[in-house]
Amino acid sequence: MSLRPYLEAAYCEVRLSTETALSPLQKLDCHLKKGQDNLILVYGGSFNPPHRGHLEVLLSALHPVVNAVAVVVLPSEDFHLRHKLKDSNPEFFMSRKTRAALWAEMPQVPRSKVWIWSETWYPFFTFMEAAQRLCEADGYKIVFSHLIGPDNLNRADALNNLPYRLPRILVTNKARHVPSQFLPNGQPTKWKGFGEWLPQRVAHDDQAEEATLWTCRGTDSLGQRTMGYYLDFAKRPTGSDINSTAMRRDLLERHSLDEEVLGQLSTADLLSILEPVLRGD
């Protein structure tokens, strides 16, 4: 059964029924299965601007070992971004709508599995509840999980992630590897409130990069079952990490940018400027 009709109905329930609101769903080709958890990953972030590391996190989540049905990209609210930038190149500010439009037009993003949440954060939680209820009525179970890179992991409270606390979270080290998050035997270090890690599946596929999906389970303060995933790639990233502050500073200087100019440029022009950082040059 296609996921898309359920998402469209959930959008309409939270009063996002315009053609513009529903357009990100039109190319989705995701199918639900009964008798299993159908995993939808929520990839939130500032994405100011989106770069190669963001793309690698997103694309790694579509690895067959994860078996995710779909991924939704959730750019942060403008007020959240302004607070984040107050001491770091505040003139490099792109609105939420601009950041969403960039994701929507990136040729590297597979439209059949990924959609962009182009609206504000506020209706998203209600949307998730509606989608789960609508699917459950037809015998399908969908579960939402955060998707993050290891630099955003708080092992003392792993589920604490913006904008809403979800019962599951997946960490991927495709773009960045943090050695302190692993034991000498290669197992992830334990998270507070979770049990031991188990290697759920290991991929040895000619079509996919070798990776191990570690899983752990827990229970939150309300007695709700929780779950953590750690997607560990056999070929771990090397080289220097992406420095977003330095990248923004370089873009500002190289292209004579500021908030006003960024707001006037078309999505195509912005993608042209950002092409080197999306490639990782």
Side-chain angles (χ1 to χ4, degrees):
M1 179 64 186
S2 173
L3 171 65
R4 199 177 89 187
Y6 295 104
L7 297 181
E8 290 175 336
Y11 265 66
C12 291
E13 279 203 18
V14 296
R15 301 182 181 180
L16 297 175
S17 56
T18 65
E19 183 177 344
T20 300
L22 294 173
S23 62
L25 303 174
Q26 299 313 303
K27 294 184 179 180
L28 279 181
D29 186 21
C30 312
H31 294 86
L32 302 171
K33 294 181 180 179
K34 292 186 176 180
Q36 68 175 51
D37 291 353
N38 293 277
L39 184 65
I40 299 176
L41 295 166
V42 180
Y43 186 27
S46 299
F47 309 126
N48 185 63
H51 53 65
R52 173 183 55 83
H54 296 138
L55 272 173
E56 288 181 343
V57 168
L58 172 70
L59 296 176
S60 72
L62 299 175
H63 193 290
V65 75
V66 178
N67 197 30
V69 174
V71 182
V72 54
V73 177
L74 189 67
S76 66
E77 293 286 1
D78 289 348
F79 73 85
H80 178 266
L81 178 58
R82 287 199 186 278
H83 178 74
K84 183 177 180 179
L85 293 178
K86 65 178 182 178
D87 299 318
S88 173
N89 306 121
E91 64 274 28
F92 195 103
F93 174 88
M94 295 191 297
S95 71
R96 173 185 51 78
K97 288 185 177 180
T98 296
R99 288 173 278 134
L102 286 170
W103 275 107
E105 295 301 323
M106 280 185 214
Q108 303 94 327
V109 176
R111 303 285 164 239
S112 62
K113 298 282 282 185
V114 179
W115 89 95
I116 315 303
W117 182 268
S118 57
E119 308 300 322
T120 72
W121 278 348
Y122 302 110
F124 188 72
F125 190 82
T126 308
F127 157 79
M128 289 190 293
E129 290 183 324
Q132 288 174 314
R133 174 173 42 77
L134 291 165
C135 287
E136 186 177 354
D138 285 346
Y140 299 101
K141 181 182 179 182
I142 62 170
V143 293
F144 288 90
S145 168
H146 279 300
L147 167 66
I148 64 171
D151 49 319
N152 290 316
L153 173 64
N154 176 5
R155 285 176 289 176
D157 190 6
L159 299 176
N160 184 20
N161 204 63
L162 292 172
Y164 300 108
R165 192 179 185 91
L166 300 179
R168 302 191 187 196
I169 192 163
L170 185 148
V171 185
T172 169
N173 67 356
K174 175 60 180 174
R176 177 179 295 174
H177 176 62
V178 179
S180 63
Q181 294 180 5
F182 286 84
L183 298 172
N185 64 2
Q187 178 179 315
T189 54
K190 195 172 180 180
W191 296 351
K192 184 178 180 180
F194 287 84
E196 297 296 328
W197 288 98
L198 297 173
Q200 186 177 0
R201 290 188 292 268
V202 180
H204 298 283
D205 189 326
D206 292 339
Q207 303 300 316
E209 189 174 348
E210 184 177 345
T212 301
L213 182 67
W214 295 87
T215 61
C216 63
R217 298 178 184 272
T219 305
D220 66 14
S221 59
L222 299 176
Q224 184 180 25
R225 292 181 180 179
T226 57
M227 192 165 182
Y229 307 87
Y230 209 120
L231 181 59
D232 179 26
F233 283 84
K235 184 179 179 181
R236 290 170 171 170
T238 58
S240 58
D241 290 336
I242 296 171
N243 185 317
S244 297
T245 300
M247 180 183 63
R248 284 191 292 269
R249 184 170 59 247
D250 180 66
L251 288 168
L252 287 168
E253 294 173 355
R254 184 175 300 183
H255 299 282
S256 301
L257 300 173
D258 57 27
E259 181 175 341
E260 183 178 359
V261 173
L262 287 166
Q264 293 172 347
L265 291 171
S266 68
T267 301
D269 287 340
L270 285 170
L271 283 174
S272 178
I273 290 172
L274 295 175
E275 184 179 0
V277 300
L278 290 169
R279 288 199 312 262
D281 293 355

